[in-house]
């Protein structure tokens, strides 16, 4: 098959969506499929992380929509590839381009939502337009089962749940820690508001005196890092906190840690949590955080703080930091559970879905006829205006 993947941020982003896109594209190529990647950027570029590099067999096309390119040119660029299926990796308003790009092309479209759907609709975009565009997709892939409730029942037959994949390292981390060696509480997150790192720094400050042999280690860059460094100093824990910046090879970081924490307000399917679990680390997050509270099963492979506060997080961390035996037990269960996210399983699900959707070629939801007369066109535009002013999303019953 010939499979297109559209992902706007692949040349500038360094997050989970870009990583998952490259991994899936490379896998499909090794399985004998042709893959083409479409992106949208002011410059022609390549994925920024060496680990995310696409195989040379994967061409990349810059659609340049909203820049100096027009929708007719971008549409032709997609149609010239004679795709069997197009996958859209998105969590933002760029989805609004695709009904126009794909109308009457006959190309089946799979929309893969890379974050928590209700957060996307309410934080990143207009809920009405998001709902309308998603309803035009032939299939929707979500990262967590709990996200399905964000969609109305009429869409459920067109929804699949395929989480991110994670490779299981050959050896597990020593979650108990070595005697007379500093122990590490690891966090891996971009320095952005949604990751809520200040809550973790504040929580650690509240218990640091009780654990002088522990260090908090942060891996990741971002726009707020400088402020976080100042916060750590103000909290009086600078001598127990390490900022590594972006780390290309994370496996040694997980292997050297004893406990993992991700204080995010929400996630899609956190690669960081999956990697920590695959390494045999128990994890801590918030019970109210979508995309976190499904990966961490509290009491089994980690703990969930019951309230999204620094105090609640400190109490939860204290319990695991003070009990090496509990960390060991939970770490072992975490590593065992991570097997279900193995690449061969996850990519196999993707390949089966793509092959199934390819059967819909030239019979897609975006096939149809537009109004033909000036009066009919005017009425259609009027309906659009009225719907835009309606605060009720098409997803709401």
């Amino acid at each position: 098959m010939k499979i297109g993947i559209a992902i706007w941020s692949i040349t500038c982003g360094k997050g989970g969506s870009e990583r998952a896109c490259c991994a899936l594209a490379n896998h499909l190529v090794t399985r004998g499929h042709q893959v083409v990647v479409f992106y949208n950027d002011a410059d022609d570029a390549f994925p920024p992380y060496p680990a995310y590099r696409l195989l040379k067999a994967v061409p990349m096309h810059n659609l340049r929509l909203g820049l100096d390119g027009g929708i007719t040119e971008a549409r032709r660029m997609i149609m010239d590839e004679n795709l069997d299926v197009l996958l859209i990796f998105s969590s933002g308003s760029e989805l609004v381009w695709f009904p126009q790009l794909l109308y009457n092309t006959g190309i089946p479209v799979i929309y893969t939502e890379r974050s928590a759907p209700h957060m996307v609709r309410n934080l990143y975009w207009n809920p009405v337009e998001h709902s309308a565009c998603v309803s035009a997709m032939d299939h929707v892939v979500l990262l967590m089962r709990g996200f399905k409730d964000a969609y109305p029942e009429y869409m459920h037959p067109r929804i699949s749940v395929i989480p991110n994949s994670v490779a299981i390292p050959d050896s597990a981390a020593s979650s108990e820690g070595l005697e007379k060696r500093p122990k590490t509480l690891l966090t891996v997150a971009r320095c952005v508001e949604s990751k809520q790192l200040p809550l973790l720094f504040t929580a650690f400050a509240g218990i640091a005196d009780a654990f002088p042999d522990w260090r908090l280690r942060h891996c990741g860059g971002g726009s707020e890092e400088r402020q976080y460094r100042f916060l750590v100093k103000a909290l009086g824990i600078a001598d127990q906190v390490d900022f590594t910046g972006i780390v290309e090879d994370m496996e040694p970081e997980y292997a050297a840690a004893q406990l993992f924490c991700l204080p995010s307000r929400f996630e899609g399917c956190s690669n960081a949590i999956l990697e920590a679990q695959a390494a045999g680390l128990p994890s801590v997050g918030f019970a109210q955080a979508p995309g976190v509270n499904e990966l961490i099963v509290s009491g089994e492979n980690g703990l969930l703080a019951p309230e999204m506060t620094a105090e609640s997080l400190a109490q939860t961390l204290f319990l695991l930091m003070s009990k090496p035996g509990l960390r060991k037990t939970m770490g072992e269960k975490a590593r065992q559970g991570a097997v279900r996210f193995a690449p061969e399983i996850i990519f196999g699900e993707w390949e089966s879905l793509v092959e199934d959707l390819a059967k819909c070629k030239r019979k897609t939801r975006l096939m149809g006829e537009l109004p033909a007369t000036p009066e009919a066109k005017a009425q259609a535009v009027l309906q659009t205006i009225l719907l835009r002013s309606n605060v009720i999303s098409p997803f709401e019953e």
Side-chain angles (χ1 to χ4, degrees):
M1 290 186 299
K2 193 166 189 180
I3 303 160
I5 301 180
I7 175 166
W8 261 212
S9 58
I10 196 168
T11 58
C12 57
K14 300 178 181 179
S17 296
E18 296 76 32
R19 181 175 184 173
C21 171
C22 291
L24 177 60
N26 290 344
H27 170 82
L28 291 170
V29 169
T30 62
R31 293 281 294 170
H33 303 288
Q34 292 179 275
V35 178
V36 182
V37 169
F38 301 95
Y39 67 101
N40 211 62
D41 200 348
D43 301 306
D44 294 330
F46 295 95
Y49 272 6
Y52 296 4
R53 292 292 192 200
L54 290 164
L55 295 173
K56 291 182 179 180
V58 181
M60 297 177 65
H61 297 311
N62 189 353
L63 297 178
R64 303 188 68 84
L65 288 162
L67 300 166
D68 58 3
I71 195 163
T72 301
E73 182 181 348
R75 178 180 165 91
R76 185 181 300 113
M77 195 180 298
I78 294 174
M79 292 182 66
D80 285 349
E81 290 295 338
N82 191 27
L83 301 175
D84 293 303
V85 176
L86 178 67
L87 314 182
I88 302 173
F89 277 63
S90 171
S91 290
S93 59
E94 62 270 13
L95 186 63
V96 76
W97 288 104
F98 287 95
Q100 303 170 73
L101 287 169
L102 300 169
Y103 186 72
N104 271 345
T105 64
I107 302 170
V109 189
I110 301 174
Y111 171 59
T112 169
E113 172 53 66
R114 306 310 301 172
S115 189
H118 72 285
M119 303 303 293
V120 172
R121 291 207 296 272
N122 294 309
L123 290 180
Y124 300 154
W125 197 9
N126 177 314
V128 174
E129 290 185 348
H130 173 264
S131 302
C133 289
V134 171
S135 70
M137 302 295 107
D138 297 296
H139 204 80
V140 176
V141 172
L142 304 177
L143 290 169
M144 295 278 107
R145 293 192 181 280
F147 294 166
K148 199 170 181 179
D149 293 338
Y151 291 82
E153 288 191 8
Y154 74 81
M155 283 201 65
H156 286 192
R158 289 189 281 133
I159 293 176
S160 296
V161 177
I162 305 179
N164 288 333
S165 66
V166 65
I168 311 297
D170 293 334
S171 59
S174 175
S175 53
E176 288 179 291
L178 300 175
E179 190 176 357
K180 297 182 180 180
R181 293 275 189 92
K183 299 177 183 62
T184 299
L185 168 59
L186 179 66
T187 187
V188 181
R190 287 174 293 123
C191 297
V192 294
E193 183 181 358
S194 64
K195 303 299 182 180
Q196 300 191 134
L197 288 169
L199 287 180
L200 175 56
F201 297 139
T202 304
F204 186 76
I207 59 176
D209 287 344
F211 298 97
D213 58 336
W214 278 79
R215 300 190 66 80
L216 172 58
R217 189 168 177 83
H218 170 260
C219 297
S223 58
E224 306 292 323
E225 182 177 342
R226 187 175 180 183
Q227 291 179 240
Y228 294 165
R229 288 178 179 270
F230 282 125
L231 173 61
V232 164
K233 289 181 180 179
L235 291 169
I237 54 172
D239 60 344
Q240 282 183 260
V241 178
D242 301 314
F243 289 92
T244 70
I246 295 173
V247 177
E248 297 278 344
D249 181 9
M250 280 299 303
E251 190 170 318
E253 296 287 345
Y254 292 112
Q258 282 67 55
L259 179 60
F260 181 82
C261 179
L262 187 64
S264 296
R265 182 152 54 106
F266 64 93
E267 290 285 334
C269 176
S270 170
N271 285 294
I273 293 177
L274 288 179
E275 289 167 352
Q277 292 177 341
L281 293 176
S283 301
V284 173
F286 287 117
Q288 298 164 305
V292 172
N293 56 18
E294 288 190 55
L295 292 179
I296 301 176
V297 181
S298 199
E300 293 188 20
N301 58 11
L303 292 175
L304 293 169
E307 298 177 5
M308 200 172 283
T309 64
E311 294 77 12
S312 180
L313 184 58
Q315 293 170 7
T316 306
L317 289 170
F318 187 98
L319 179 60
L320 276 173
M321 290 167 68
S322 61
K323 295 186 176 182
L326 185 59
R327 293 198 304 273
K328 182 177 185 295
T329 300
M330 289 186 171
E332 290 171 350
K333 289 184 178 179
R335 186 169 165 86
Q336 293 166 5
V339 172
R340 65 191 175 101
F341 300 101
E344 58 270 21
I345 296 175
I346 300 303
F347 294 148
E349 292 179 11
W350 267 112
E351 190 171 15
S352 295
L353 177 63
V354 169
E355 289 174 347
D356 190 50
L357 261 292
K359 299 172 185 176
C360 299
K361 194 170 183 178
R362 290 180 288 275
K363 296 178 289 184
T364 71
R365 296 180 63 82
L366 281 169
M367 300 293 288
E369 295 183 5
L370 293 174
T373 67
E375 182 179 6
K377 290 177 181 178
Q379 287 297 316
V381 172
L382 174 60
Q383 288 182 330
T384 300
I385 294 170
L386 292 172
L387 282 171
R388 282 177 181 271
S389 66
N390 190 341
V391 296
I392 302 300
S393 165
F395 276 13
E396 298 181 27
E397 300 292 348

